[in-house]
Amino acid sequence: MGGQSSHQHLEDNSKPYTGDGFVDFQGTPPLKRKTGNWGAWPFILVCSLTPSPFSTGNECCERLAYYGIAKNLVSYINRKLHEQNVSAVRSVATWAGTCYLTPLVAAFSTDSYWGRYWTIAVFSIIYFIGMCTLTLSVTVHAFKPAECEGSVCPVATPAQYTIFFSGLYQIALGMGGIKPCVSSFGADQFDDTNTNERVKKGSFFNWFYFSINIGSFVSSSLIIWIQENIG
């Protein structure tokens, strides 16, 4: 048994191409020594600065962004857009529900047309544009209502609502494109026909969920502290 296992291990490592039937984004079998494995994990798990296809889907930043928005959203709509609590909660609940329905769109596009790589790339760009739109809507004075003066609080105009919620729903669409693809896309980087890489795949999932929780923890603590103490 030991001899057979060692022989199989040597066979696995001697193959120039992966043996599990996957192809790269150009449709060709990937070379083991140049692609996949741990070389791809920083772009999936760790923060990067540009929304290119080579830096998309990183879970830590995505979770930090999502929870950083979601946990502050009711208070922002109530205090800055001057909606009543009931209306603010309803708006946030509708948005959050949409975030968890949009993966159906991504699942269809992934399985039928684009594949995981291009689905993650396209929807990450949508996510990025939504973040930029939302940032503009809360920083540019013309895009948000004026502050309250005493008990008088001006209501947001239709244009201000449109900019704010278009950013939110672009984020919902972008998140839906990333979530059903990124974990399996990360697992695809490891060749199941290679004994060592099967073990590494298990390690990848450990780090994957660790990065999710780190992003959630930072957004639930640091971001909330900034909101309450700085603004």
Side-chain angles (χ1 to χ4, degrees):
M1 292 293 291
Q4 289 179 349
S5 176
S6 175
H7 179 66
Q8 179 62 41
H9 176 71
L10 291 173
E11 284 185 346
D12 290 339
N13 288 331
S14 66
K15 296 177 182 177
Y17 298 97
T18 58
D20 52 11
F22 285 112
V23 295
D24 61 19
F25 71 99
Q26 296 177 326
T28 58
L31 277 169
K32 282 187 176 185
R33 60 186 177 84
K34 290 187 175 181
T35 58
N37 216 313
W38 285 118
W41 79 268
F43 303 109
I44 298 170
L45 300 180
V46 186
C47 298
S48 57
L49 298 177
T50 56
S52 71
F54 299 101
S55 59
T56 57
N58 29 82
E59 279 297 292
C60 183
C61 285
E62 192 278 326
R63 289 292 84 186
L64 191 150
Y66 174 77
Y67 285 115
I69 295 167
K71 292 182 182 296
N72 299 323
L73 201 49
V74 172
S75 61
Y76 181 84
I77 293 174
N78 177 247
R79 297 176 188 176
K80 300 299 182 179
L81 298 186
H82 309 140
E83 285 194 11
Q84 296 297 318
N85 279 332
V86 173
S87 177
V89 171
R90 181 170 58 245
S91 296
V92 173
T94 302
W95 173 73
T98 303
C99 287
Y100 288 97
L101 284 175
T102 50
L104 297 175
V105 177
F108 175 76
S109 68
T110 299
D111 293 340
S112 301
Y113 297 102
W114 293 344
R116 282 187 283 270
Y117 178 87
W118 287 113
T119 298
I120 293 171
V122 169
F123 281 90
S124 291
I125 293 171
I126 294 172
Y127 203 132
F128 179 76
I129 293 171
M131 290 292 294
C132 291
T133 303
L134 192 64
T135 301
L136 290 174
S137 75
V138 302
T139 54
V140 178
H141 290 295
F143 294 166
K144 60 181 180 178
E147 297 291 335
C148 295
E149 295 183 4
S151 60
V152 179
C153 296
V155 179
T157 66
Q160 290 169 339
Y161 271 122
T162 299
I163 294 171
F164 178 75
F165 282 103
S166 67
L168 276 182
Y169 281 92
Q170 284 177 75
I171 290 170
L173 181 60
M175 192 196 94
I178 294 169
K179 295 308 290 181
C181 300
V182 67
S183 58
S184 56
F185 180 72
D188 288 348
Q189 307 308 309
F190 302 94
D191 185 1
D192 272 333
T193 64
N194 185 294
T195 307
N196 286 338
E197 291 194 28
R198 281 201 300 270
V199 175
K200 292 176 182 179
K201 181 185 290 190
S203 297
F204 164 78
F205 281 110
N206 290 336
W207 284 106
F208 178 79
Y209 288 106
F210 177 76
S211 68
I212 289 175
N213 289 318
I214 288 295
S216 302
F217 173 76
V218 172
S219 63
S220 301
S221 54
L222 178 62
I223 302 300
I224 298 299
W225 184 89
I226 292 173
Q227 177 197 359
E228 296 299 325
N229 293 277
I230 298 177

